[in-house]
Amino acid sequence: MFKLPPLPYAYEALEPTVSAETMHLHHDKHHQTYFTNTNKMLDEAGLSPRTLEEVVVEAKQAGKKKLFNNAAQAWNHTFFWTCMSPDGQAPAGDLKAAIEEAFGGLEQLKAKFVEEGAGHFASGWVWLVARGSTLEVNSTHDGDNHLGEDVVPLLVCDLWEHAYYVDYRNDRKKFLEAWFDALPNWTFAAEQYAAARGQGEAWKHPGAEAAQSAAA
Ligand code: FE
């Protein structure tokens, strides 16, 4: 059984960029549903994997699309909450230098990130990833992510309409611009960047909990 982790901050902590209403719907309804569906499918298949990463990678390899979509969305959202911080941070140190090297600076990275996310057709995710020490911006469709690939994600932003429609209506670009200015957890991104270069471990989703015994 994989359990929906609580948010790492209060529901209203990301206001005014993202409202508490959006966070309640997004975390308590959308994200919960991905866990409910993943657990149901694993239970029906008689499977009790220990990590959500193995569920995502194996479902993708086996072409189990419904399981993949739900498990990947469960993973992506927990990662997404971790990628945000109410502190108003800025990149520093090696990560700042890598951003300058790859994009020319933070404003150029923002322009690329917003362009990639705003131009992405339909639902998905926009990512800042490290391939070794080199940074890249890209996007994935629906629930797809970079698990099983030779890249480490540093940041992600949700491009599904449920992420911004309450607060920004149809204006995904405005959401992405506001998001990039206020919410990235650059401390976390720097830890992921260090892991990409062999210093420490990249972020992992909390593992499975033992199902409660029916006899208990
Ligand atoms: Fe979402």
Side-chain angles (χ1 to χ4, degrees), residues 68-171:
F68 172 76
N69 283 331
N70 280 281
Q73 284 292 80
W75 192 96
N76 291 349
H77 282 87
T78 309
F79 185 78
F80 177 49
W81 312 135
T82 310
C83 286
M84 294 188 283
S85 162
D87 302 341
Q89 302 180 4
D94 289 348
L95 177 58
K96 186 179 181 207
I99 289 169
E100 284 164 4
E101 167 82 23
F103 308 104
L106 189 61
E107 276 308 304
Q108 290 91 330
L109 166 58
K110 177 187 170 183
K112 195 165 174 63
F113 193 89
V114 169
E115 184 188 10
E116 178 76 25
H120 178 93
F121 186 77
S123 297
W125 299 83
V126 56
W127 305 83
L128 173 66
V129 305
R131 189 180 302 277
S133 60
T134 306
L135 300 183
E136 298 173 9
V137 168
N138 59 46
S139 56
T140 56
H141 283 281
D142 301 328
D144 204 6
N145 60 30
H146 292 293
L147 286 176
E149 297 174 21
D150 199 17
V151 299
V152 174
L154 309 193
L155 288 178
V156 74
C157 187
D158 193 335
L159 302 175
W160 289 57
E161 286 184 347
H162 64 230
Y164 59 87
Y165 224 84
V166 168
D167 301 322
Y168 297 86
R169 296 299 173 191
N170 59 320
D171 201 341

Side-chain angles (χ1 to χ4, degrees), residues 19-107:
S19 67
E21 183 184 0
T22 290
M23 293 303 287
H24 274 288
L25 287 167
H26 203 173
H27 177 268
D28 303 355
K29 305 295 182 188
H30 291 282
H31 198 189
Q32 176 64 62
T33 299
Y34 297 127
F35 278 97
T36 303
N37 291 343
T38 299
N39 286 328
K40 185 164 178 280
M41 282 182 267
L42 290 173
D43 192 44
E44 285 169 358
L47 298 170
S48 47
R50 300 291 297 277
T51 74
L52 194 54
E53 286 82 5
E54 68 183 273
V55 178
V56 173
V57 171
E58 287 172 15
K60 188 172 189 173
Q61 285 170 351
K64 295 176 183 171
K65 278 193 175 170
K66 198 173 168 193
L67 178 59
F68 172 76
N69 283 331
N70 280 281
Q73 284 292 80
W75 192 96
N76 291 349
H77 282 87
T78 309
F79 185 78
F80 177 49
W81 312 135
T82 310
C83 286
M84 294 188 283
S85 162
D87 302 341
Q89 302 180 4
D94 289 348
L95 177 58
K96 186 179 181 207
I99 289 169
E100 284 164 4
E101 167 82 23
F103 308 104
L106 189 61
E107 276 308 304

